[in-house]
């Protein structure tokens, strides 16, 4: 790739070193794709220069493309590609204009740095993932991420108020909600901006019924393009289209986030469930008690935590001896009656300690009066931390103690409806049981019926690489049968994009493809993902080690 003309106008760094190519050929997915170059744009003008360079070179280099990358934690292969990778974290990392209700960030800001600044002002952006220590806000936006607080607050799309995006003509645009008068003004423009407003408006209005019926009814979704949320008859909001687009429609450079206050006091109510038949009823009932978070992990996760207890304790703050004592009740419970099938964690919050204590006590009484199962209220922050550490860290332990196997996040983000869980979970278990070579744990967000199932796979064996695809096919067919979503938080990328026509139907998939063409007619932005995903490309780039 000849980058000489780009270097004339580019202020950031460009590397084509072997070591960097190797590093940027992988993210947290099962794929490996070697780029030709990695660039570190200094500012928004650099991003514009990159897009204009790609436009100019497209005729002679038809495979040239631009893929934005933040923390490199994408589980779908969304941040790797075979052309140019844009690492936004080195320079595009400024936090500005923080108020009590909003904050502006550049896309390369790491969420951990944003969280420190927000916490100092007693504010939070609650749509963060479990991997919040390693993710960038641009990646969070591109994936429409969520996490443990999504049950109460919503996903990233519910907190993005405004975006700055470099689009397919190489220019930056401010994308924000418009009223009808503002929309008419935009559509009257005789340029690229006017064109994409007119075409998207026509697309969503001409296909309003089709899109209404296609909108997932689960509480979470990060699959497809959210065309159904763009126009409600009063507000035209293209932020809803760019959130969750995984850099396939343009390159997000700045984000304005809505903020909420942090509640000062928390208490955790833990349920130990021996019989999965009650799971759906319990989740539906507990949801009505209004916890801020409602999480779940299975007996495999619990067993793993006890097996590697010293490492779990090392993740917790405080005296190690004191932390070990925290786990004696669980060890005794295991000896006395065996492990529960699942553990449920419902966290209640508020600004008044007494009212939070009453709320969690009332919730425990309510659950016990309706269901015959053991419950426990955490007595301290350290005890709550114990359960959160199991929930957040057990999968990393599984991966670390299986040297030959890699994490294979290809079915890990499914969502159904809570009342379907008693039927759905045994059928899901039956599918997983057909693949005994795959080691896995199940954890996730019970309130949303959103489960992360990330098998460990020895990808050096061709049989296992093929089974990844066949298992995906079986699981997604089951998810569709229950009108669920194959991606609650982690999006489509390479790994699920190829299933979009099956999940949404050919007509809606054609609307997704048309959306991609409207914003990216030259296919510059992050190809091979979402509507451009291809099963052959998928199979060819699954890692072998």
């Amino acid at each position: 790739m000849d980058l000489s003309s780009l270097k004339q106008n580019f202020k950031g760094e460009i590397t084509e070193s072997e070591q960097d190519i190797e590093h940027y050929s992988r993210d947290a997915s099962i794929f490996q794709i070697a780029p030709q170059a990695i660039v570190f744009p200094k500012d928004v003008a650099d991003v514009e220069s990159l897009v204009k360079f790609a436009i100019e070179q497209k005729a002679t280099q038809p495979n040239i493309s631009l893929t934005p990358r933040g923390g490199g934690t994408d589980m779908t292969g969304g941040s790797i590609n075979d052309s140019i990778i844009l690492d936004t974290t080195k320079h595009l990392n400024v936090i500005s204009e923080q108020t009590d209700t909003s904050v502006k960030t550049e896309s390369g800001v790491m969420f951990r740095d944003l969280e420190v600044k927000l916490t100092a002002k007693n504010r939070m952006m609650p749509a963060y993932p479990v991997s919040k220590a390693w993710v960038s806000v641009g990646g969070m936006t591109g994936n429409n991420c969520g996490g443990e607080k999504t049950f109460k607050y919503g996903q990233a799309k519910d907190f993005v108020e405004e975006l700055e995006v470099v689009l397919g003509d190489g220019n930056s645009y401010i994308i924000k909600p418009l009223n009808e008068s503002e929309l008419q003004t935009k559509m009257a423009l005789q340029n690229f901006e006017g064109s994409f407003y007119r075409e998207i408006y026509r697309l969503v209005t001409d296909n309003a019924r089709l899109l209404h019926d296609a909108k997932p009814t689960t509480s979470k979704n990060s699959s497809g393009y959210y065309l159904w949320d763009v126009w409600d008859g009063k507000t035209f909001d293209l932020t809803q289209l760019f959130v969750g687009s995984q850099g396939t429609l343009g390159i997000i450079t700045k984000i304005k986030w809505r903020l909420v206050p942090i509640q000062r006091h928390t208490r955790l109510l833990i349920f130990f469930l021996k019989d999965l038949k009650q799971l759906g009823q319990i989740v539906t009932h507990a949801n009505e008690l209004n916890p801020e978070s409602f999480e779940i992990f299975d007996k495999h996760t619990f067993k793993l935590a006890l097996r590697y207890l010293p490492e779990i304790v090392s993740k917790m703050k405080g005296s190690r001896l004191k932390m070990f004592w925290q786990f004696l009740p669980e060890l005794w419970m295991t000896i006395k009656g065996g492990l529960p099938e699942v553990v449920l964690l419902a966290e209640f919050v508020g600004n008044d300690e007494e009212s939070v204590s009453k709320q969690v006590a009332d919730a425990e009484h309510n659950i016990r009066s309706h269901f015959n199962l053991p419950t426990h209220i955490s007595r301290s922050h350290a005890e709550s931390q114990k359960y959160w550490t199991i929930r957040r860290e057990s999968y990393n332990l599984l991966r670390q103690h299986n040297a030959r196997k890699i994490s294979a996040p290809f079915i890990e983000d499914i969502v159904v409806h809570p009342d379907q869980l008693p039927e759905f979970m045994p059928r899901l278990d039956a599918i997983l049981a057909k693949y005994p070579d795959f080691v896995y744990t199940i954890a996730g967000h019970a309130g949303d019926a959103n489960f992360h199932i990330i098998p460990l796979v020895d990808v050096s064996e061709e049989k296992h690489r093929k089974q990844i695809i066949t298992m995906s096919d079986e699981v997604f067919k089951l998810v569709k049968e229950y009108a669920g979503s194959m991606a609650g938080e982690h999006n489509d990328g390479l790994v699920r994009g190829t299933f979009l026509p099956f999940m949404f139907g050919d007509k809606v998939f054609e609307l997704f493809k048309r959306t991609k063409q409207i914003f990216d007619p030259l296919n510059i932005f992050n190809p091979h993902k979402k509507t451009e995903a291809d099963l052959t490309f998928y199979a060819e780039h699954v890692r072998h080690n």
Side-chain angles (χ1 to χ4, degrees):
M1 179 178 291
D2 182 5
L3 299 174
S4 55
S5 62
L6 171 64
K7 293 175 181 177
Q8 296 173 13
N9 300 310
F10 195 76
K11 299 183 289 295
E13 299 82 34
I14 300 173
T15 177
E16 299 169 86
S17 77
E18 219 174 283
Q19 184 179 357
D20 289 329
I21 294 294
E22 170 65 21
H23 174 73
Y24 284 89
S25 70
R26 301 188 184 197
D27 53 12
S29 72
I30 59 175
F31 303 104
Q32 182 168 7
I33 306 173
Q36 296 184 53
I38 302 95
V39 299
F40 304 88
K42 191 81 171 178
D43 52 24
V44 174
D46 264 358
V47 179
E48 293 175 335
S49 294
L50 280 164
V51 176
K52 289 171 183 174
F53 168 76
I55 293 169
E56 292 166 359
Q57 298 296 315
K58 198 69 175 177
T60 56
Q61 301 184 67
N63 292 325
I64 193 170
S65 66
L66 305 172
T67 295
R69 178 182 173 113
T73 60
D74 193 283
M75 290 184 167
T76 71
S79 59
I80 55 177
N81 223 330
D82 54 8
S83 188
I84 301 175
I85 303 292
L86 285 75
D87 187 331
T88 59
T89 61
K90 188 170 185 178
H91 300 299
L92 292 174
N93 53 20
V94 175
I95 302 170
S96 62
E97 298 184 38
Q98 182 178 342
T99 70
D100 284 345
T101 58
S102 68
V103 65
K104 284 190 176 182
T105 67
E106 291 185 313
S107 58
V109 168
M110 301 302 286
F111 182 78
R112 60 176 179 261
D113 298 325
L114 176 62
E115 186 176 42
V116 168
K117 285 188 174 290
L118 297 183
T119 302
K121 299 292 186 181
N122 199 43
R123 293 294 182 270
M124 67 176 175
M125 198 293 289
Y128 56 79
V130 169
S131 56
K132 63 179 183 175
W134 307 285
V135 299
S136 73
V137 298
M140 291 167 60
T141 307
N143 278 344
N144 187 27
C145 74
E148 61 202 38
K149 295 187 184 297
T150 298
F151 169 67
K152 179 173 182 178
Y153 291 103
Q155 293 182 261
K157 70 182 181 64
D158 302 304
F159 287 86
V160 172
E161 295 187 338
E162 181 180 296
L163 297 169
E164 184 173 325
V165 189
V166 180
L167 295 181
D169 62 346
N171 295 315
S172 293
Y173 296 92
I174 300 297
I175 303 295
K176 62 182 180 179
L178 304 176
N179 61 33
E180 191 168 3
S181 174
E182 292 167 329
L183 173 62
Q184 292 298 328
T185 299
K186 291 289 189 184
M187 290 196 296
L189 298 172
Q190 297 304 306
N191 54 17
F192 182 69
E193 184 177 20
S195 174
F196 68 71
Y197 274 105
R198 288 191 298 273
E199 293 196 52
I200 293 296
Y201 176 78
R202 187 180 305 118
L203 187 150
V204 298
T205 53
D206 287 351
N207 298 280
R209 174 51 58 183
L210 178 63
L211 292 171
H212 175 272
D213 294 344
K215 182 176 182 177
T217 56
T218 49
S219 61
K220 283 180 177 176
N221 173 66
S222 66
S223 188
Y225 293 127
Y226 316 145
L227 289 164
W228 40 76
D229 288 334
V230 170
W231 173 240
D232 63 4
K234 294 181 179 179
T235 303
F236 191 85
D237 188 1
L238 286 182
T239 68
Q240 299 297 297
L241 198 55
F242 282 91
V243 175
S245 64
Q246 281 195 308
T248 60
L249 304 181
I251 298 174
I252 295 170
T253 56
K254 296 180 182 179
I255 308 145
K256 182 180 179 182
W257 299 95
R258 180 171 67 87
L259 305 178
V260 296
I262 295 173
Q263 306 291 306
R264 289 195 297 272
H265 300 285
T266 68
R267 294 292 294 278
L268 199 61
L269 174 61
I270 303 105
F271 318 150
F272 302 97
L273 186 58
K274 291 266 187 181
D275 186 353
L276 288 179
K277 291 178 183 177
Q278 289 184 299
L279 180 59
Q281 287 179 296
I282 291 169
V283 169
T284 300
H285 190 84
N287 280 349
E288 296 172 358
L289 301 175
N290 198 33
E292 183 176 70
S293 305
F294 192 15
E295 300 291 281
I296 185 171
F297 57 82
D298 70 341
K299 63 182 178 183
H300 302 295
T301 306
F302 205 178
K303 189 185 301 183
L304 191 72
L306 296 179
R307 181 179 177 184
Y308 299 115
L309 190 55
E311 291 168 72
I312 284 286
V313 168
S314 72
K315 303 283 185 180
M316 300 166 62
K317 297 177 181 178
S319 162
R320 287 201 173 193
L321 182 60
K322 188 175 180 181
M323 294 300 108
F324 271 111
W325 278 101
Q326 290 282 353
F327 282 91
L328 285 180
E330 284 71 31
L331 291 168
W332 175 245
M333 179 177 65
T334 304
I335 294 168
K336 185 178 178 182
L339 290 171
E341 285 295 316
V342 295
V343 177
L344 296 161
L345 312 176
E347 186 173 56
F348 295 86
V349 304
N351 285 320
D352 179 77
E353 187 172 10
E354 186 176 339
S355 66
V356 174
S357 296
K358 183 178 186 307
Q359 186 183 11
V360 73
D362 289 347
E364 181 182 45
H365 176 76
N366 189 305
I367 291 293
R368 283 186 170 180
S369 66
H370 285 84
F371 306 98
N372 182 26
L373 74 161
T375 61
H376 175 64
I377 297 174
S378 64
R379 294 180 294 272
S380 65
H381 174 74
E383 190 179 11
S384 296
Q385 185 190 5
K386 168 180 68 177
Y387 287 101
W388 282 119
T389 303
I390 294 173
R391 163 68 182 89
R392 293 164 178 159
E393 296 293 340
S394 57
Y395 172 68
N396 288 329
L397 289 176
L398 183 65
R399 182 180 60 184
Q400 290 161 10
H401 287 276
N402 286 268
R404 289 187 60 208
K405 298 184 178 184
I406 68 162
S407 58
F410 57 95
I411 57 166
E412 46 68 63
D413 197 24
I414 54 178
V415 190
V416 290
H417 302 82
D419 61 354
Q420 298 170 330
L421 291 176
E423 285 185 21
F424 178 82
M425 292 300 288
R427 293 184 65 184
L428 176 64
D429 284 338
I431 292 174
L432 298 177
K434 292 164 62 177
Y435 301 87
D437 291 334
F438 291 12
V439 182
Y440 65 92
T441 60
I442 297 177
H445 315 293
D448 296 297
N450 175 204
F451 293 95
H452 301 294
I453 308 157
I454 311 179
L456 293 182
V457 181
D458 183 355
V459 291
S460 66
E461 294 194 25
E462 184 180 0
K463 177 184 75 170
H464 293 162
R465 295 196 300 273
K466 290 181 178 179
Q467 286 177 332
I468 285 173
I469 296 174
T470 56
M471 184 193 280
S472 297
D473 187 62
E474 290 184 67
V475 171
F476 295 151
K477 282 178 179 175
L478 180 66
V479 170
K480 184 173 182 180
E481 183 180 336
Y482 284 84
S485 170
M486 61 180 175
E489 303 168 337
H490 296 167
N491 220 278
D492 299 315
L494 284 167
V495 76
R496 284 184 283 271
T498 188
F499 293 95
L500 282 170
F502 168 73
M503 293 300 296
F504 287 97
D506 291 338
K507 289 183 179 179
V508 173
F509 184 66
E510 285 301 315
L511 298 183
F512 292 163
K513 290 179 70 174
R514 178 62 188 143
T515 300
K516 169 72 170 172
Q517 291 162 2
I518 288 169
F519 286 100
D520 186 20
L522 296 179
N523 199 21
I524 288 170
F525 299 123
N526 208 10
H528 308 301
K529 318 294 160 50
K530 291 182 85 76
T531 60
E532 304 295 317
D534 172 79
L535 196 56
T536 301
F537 190 87
Y538 175 145
E540 288 175 349
H541 290 90
V542 174
R543 289 162 55 181
H544 289 202
N545 56 60

